[in-house]
Amino acid sequence: MRATDHLRGLLERALAGLAIAWPEKTTIEPPRERAHGDLATNVAMVAAKQARTAPRQLAEKLRETLLASGTDLAAVEVAGPGFLNVTFAPAFWQRSVLEVLGAGDGYGRCDIGRGTRVQVEYVSANPTGPLHIGHGRGAAVGDSLARVLRAAGYDVATEYYINDAGRQMRILGQSILYRYRELLGEPVTEPEDYYRGDYVKDLAQELIDRDGRLLLEMPEEAATDVCRLHGEKRILDGIKQDLADFRVGHEVWFPESTLLAAGAVERTFDDLRAKGLAYDKDGAFWFATTQFGDDKDRVLVKSGGELTYFASDIAYHDDKFHRGFDILVDIWGADHHGYVPRMKACVAALGRDPEKSLKVILVQLVNLLKGGEQIAMSTRAGKFETLADVVAEVGADAARFMFLSRKSDSHLDFDLDAVKQKSMENPVYYVQYAHARVKSLFAKAAERGFDPAPAAADMLALLTTPEDLELLKLLEQYPDTVAAAARAFSPHLVSFYLRELAGRLHRYYTVNPVLTAGDDALVSARLRLLEAVAVVVGNGLSLLGVSAPDKM
């Protein structure tokens, strides 16, 4: 926050003049009540011991020094046992317009993450069926988080982990083969466990169109492999297309099978064994997770030689660290919350600080509604609303914004009918319309032959109404919002901010005339203020992967 940094600089100089070092416990933050100013600080209270004076007396000295520092401060008051309540002059806030328009697309970017490599792994759905709306929420969170982190200066890579070597893929192959035989009129017995969606029948029909009855002549295991490979490729191609249509991209698609082929799993096992963190027992291979607080040790290799999911996950994270990433971000469904401590133990066993090196973001379920009724979703049963269907019905903008409208670990009701409404009750429309409204004002000004003057300090000095100052102060908060979203790995904070900014703009428009303000200088000042709002709305929407339309 520019105001926080500015006040801190003034206070540091004031303390230095009194031979007082900056106290570590100093806080500078907005007061609970707006009437108490823009910022409040406890610096006099925590520096009083160094000054060998009472907190209020030190506060009075600091107050005098601050007020003598220039014109940026309108008022400084001493409150309670020694708090300083600071109010900035309107000119300080008016400079926000110059800052926003000067930076343009770059406004809000910072370098708090400079030198830190982050890998964000998200979606990573098994290629056993189309993506459903739950995967869509994880995709929106992951992609937007990557955008936010990049805006904050982090070196970010995105990745999709393809589980192409597990039991679910064998079931997919068996499911397609069952439907293949069924479509060819062969006598078949319905498997106990298989994928029932219509897409499985479509995949089987594709094999019939390509190979005819050839698979019937093959051994079952070989025929199952053909079906599995065909299904995996076609489904994965569909997943990639669905994500592209949703404006989500991954720089790396990492197949699990490559871990096995490269011997990465065995190398990780050898490392754990050498550290005394893994052992053989009852024909199985175990990871001593109890050494990291787990309630019991976990199996890595079953007695029959089959790897557990946990084994691959350890090797996969070990591989990520070997690729040079400082922080790994895993985005999982909320049903995996019990797996988090186990993964933290894994990271600790690999010699990393699990609290600093691993961030797990849980994504809660989405209740998809249509016509007021909930739509059931189950990939195995074939009853689900695909992400592609949702995007086709409401658009990528609406879907992404709604997925990011709440904290990721909160339940979300997604009403397909509501997000298609062009009304102020629709949060997507509400924010996008703020951008379009400003663009419309500039278009109307051009139609009237009015060309607003460039933003300048003397012109912006006309922005003195309460509504002006509310917008100006909110514009100044945007860089802090981006930094906070990056530090907390929480892109929804940008969504919250945008709704507040849009709300302030819409209220401003109803209270303060713009094109009919009268004086040309005032019209120009208000247009430039709203232009700055449009820039910030556009920048924020870009971090969410949502477009900022000029017309609606």
Side-chain angles (χ1 to χ4, degrees):
M1 188 173 183
R2 184 166 56 92
T4 303
D5 293 341
H6 185 64
L7 179 57
R8 174 166 177 151
L10 294 176
L11 288 170
E12 286 179 339
R13 288 191 290 274
L15 289 173
L18 298 171
I20 299 173
W22 180 261
E24 289 185 8
K25 295 184 179 180
T26 300
T27 60
I28 302 175
E29 56 193 8
R32 293 181 181 179
E33 297 182 24
R34 287 187 180 182
H36 292 166
D38 296 316
L39 291 173
T41 178
N42 67 344
V43 66
M45 299 165 65
V46 295
K49 186 175 181 180
Q50 285 189 68
R52 297 182 180 180
T53 186
R56 280 191 66 92
Q57 290 179 336
L58 178 57
E60 289 291 352
K61 289 182 180 180
L62 292 174
R63 174 182 179 276
E64 293 175 6
T65 304
L66 290 176
L67 288 174
S69 65
T71 59
D72 279 337
L73 303 184
V76 181
E77 297 179 351
V78 178
F83 285 103
L84 285 170
N85 291 334
V86 178
T87 301
F88 285 85
F92 177 85
W93 300 115
Q94 290 155 4
R95 289 202 294 273
S96 296
V97 175
L98 298 174
E99 188 177 357
V100 173
L101 297 182
D105 293 346
Y107 184 70
R109 294 184 173 273
C110 62
D111 60 359
I112 62 171
R114 178 176 293 177
T116 303
R117 294 193 66 205
V118 181
Q119 191 228 45
V120 185
E121 185 228 322
Y122 54 101
V123 186
S124 297
N126 292 345
T128 56
L131 296 179
H132 58 61
I133 192 171
H135 297 133
R137 189 179 190 187
V141 170
D143 182 72
S144 297
L145 175 60
R147 293 169 186 248
V148 167
L149 291 173
R150 289 188 181 111
Y154 290 88
D155 181 2
V156 181
T158 57
E159 189 154 311
Y160 187 117
Y161 180 65
I162 307 169
N163 184 350
D164 62 344
R167 176 174 174 270
Q168 302 304 320
M169 298 308 298
R170 289 200 302 275
I171 293 176
L172 174 66
Q174 292 163 358
S175 302
I176 297 172
L177 183 58
Y178 163 66
R179 292 302 189 188
Y180 172 89
R181 289 169 171 168
E182 183 183 54
L183 288 171
L184 289 175
E186 294 292 308
V188 290
T189 301
E190 183 178 23
E192 292 184 8
D193 193 13
Y194 73 105
Y195 293 99
R196 294 170 170 79
D198 287 341
Y199 69 94
V200 179
K201 294 181 181 178
D202 294 339
L203 292 169
Q205 185 60 55
E206 288 175 1
L207 285 171
I208 293 173
D209 295 341
R210 189 189 76 183
D211 299 332
R213 304 176 67 87
L214 180 63
L215 271 62
L216 298 179
E217 302 171 9
M218 292 184 179
E220 182 158 343
E221 184 174 347
T224 301
D225 284 343
V226 171
C227 291
R228 175 182 60 80
L229 291 172
H230 176 73
E232 177 187 329
K233 182 182 183 308
R234 295 285 289 115
I235 291 172
L236 198 56
D237 286 346
I239 286 173
K240 290 180 178 180
Q241 185 60 57
D242 290 349
L243 290 174
D245 293 340
F246 197 45
R247 304 189 195 122
V248 170
H250 293 82
E251 294 164 315
V252 175
W253 293 75
F254 192 102
E256 179 187 2
S257 57
T258 61
L259 282 173
L260 303 173
V265 175
E266 285 302 324
R267 283 196 300 271
T268 301
F269 287 176
D270 291 342
D271 183 45
L272 292 175
R273 186 182 278 109
K275 292 177 179 178
L277 298 175
Y279 59 91
D280 296 297
K281 179 183 175 182
D282 300 329
F285 186 58
W286 298 72
F287 177 26
T289 51
T290 51
Q291 294 190 32
F292 302 95
D294 202 353
D295 59 339
K296 62 180 180 179
D297 291 346
R298 305 291 174 172
V299 174
L300 297 178
V301 184
K302 299 177 183 179
S303 57
E306 183 181 3
L307 289 177
T308 63
Y309 284 116
F310 191 37
S312 296
D313 285 343
I314 295 175
Y316 179 42
H317 284 71
D318 192 22
D319 179 82
K320 292 181 183 184
F321 284 128
H322 277 100
R323 283 187 266 158
F325 294 110
D326 303 299
I327 300 174
L328 307 182
V329 180
D330 290 345
I331 297 178
W332 298 343
D335 56 333
H336 287 75
H337 66 91
Y339 201 64
V340 176
R342 214 177 304 172
M343 209 63 239
K344 295 274 188 182
C346 155
V347 170
L350 295 174
R352 303 282 179 148
D353 183 339
E355 298 309 313
K356 293 181 179 179
S357 300
L358 178 66
K359 305 293 181 183
V360 178
I361 297 173
L362 298 178
V363 179
Q364 195 50 269
L365 295 174
V366 178
N367 296 319
L368 189 63
L369 308 174
K370 192 171 185 180
E373 295 184 4
Q374 186 169 339
I375 300 173
M377 293 182 289
S378 170
T379 307
R380 190 71 60 82
K383 298 177 180 178
F384 54 90
E385 193 77 18
T386 66
L387 174 61
D389 289 340
V390 171
V391 171
E393 183 158 352
V394 304
D397 282 343
R400 288 188 66 122
F401 194 95
M402 288 305 298
F403 287 143
L404 296 162
S405 64
R406 300 191 66 186
K407 197 166 183 279
S408 65
D409 60 359
S410 300
H411 279 90
L412 176 66
D413 288 334
F414 190 128
D415 193 314
L416 292 170
D417 294 329
V419 298
K420 290 191 290 184
Q421 298 299 317
K422 293 184 178 181
S423 71
M424 291 302 202
E425 285 70 41
N426 178 355
V428 187
Y429 182 86
Y430 190 68
V431 174
Q432 287 185 314
Y433 185 55
H435 188 272
R437 173 167 263 175
V438 174
K439 294 298 183 180
S440 174
L441 279 171
F442 272 82
K444 289 179 181 177
E447 289 174 4
R448 299 177 185 183
F450 183 80
D451 184 16
D458 57 343
M459 174 228 288
L460 298 174
L462 300 172
L463 301 174
T464 57
T465 70
E467 294 78 24
D468 287 325
L469 292 174
E470 281 186 353
L471 273 180
L472 289 165
K473 291 178 182 180
L474 200 51
L475 289 176
E476 197 262 352
Q477 292 176 20
Y478 177 67
D480 277 351
T481 298
V482 175
R487 287 192 181 100
F489 296 85
S490 300
H492 72 277
L493 295 178
V494 177
S495 171
F496 287 4
Y497 170 88
L498 289 176
R499 278 181 285 175
E500 183 179 2
L501 181 60
R504 295 278 178 87
L505 179 134
H506 294 314
R507 286 193 293 273
Y508 184 95
Y509 186 80
T510 61
V511 174
N512 294 279
V514 181
L515 298 182
T516 58
D519 180 77
D520 283 358
L522 182 57
V523 173
S524 291
R526 290 183 174 177
L527 280 172
R528 293 306 180 193
L529 169 60
L530 298 191
E531 181 185 10
V533 172
V535 168
V536 173
V537 170
N539 290 355
L541 287 174
S542 177
L543 294 183
L544 302 181
V546 177
S547 68
D550 291 349
K551 295 180 180 180
M552 293 186 72

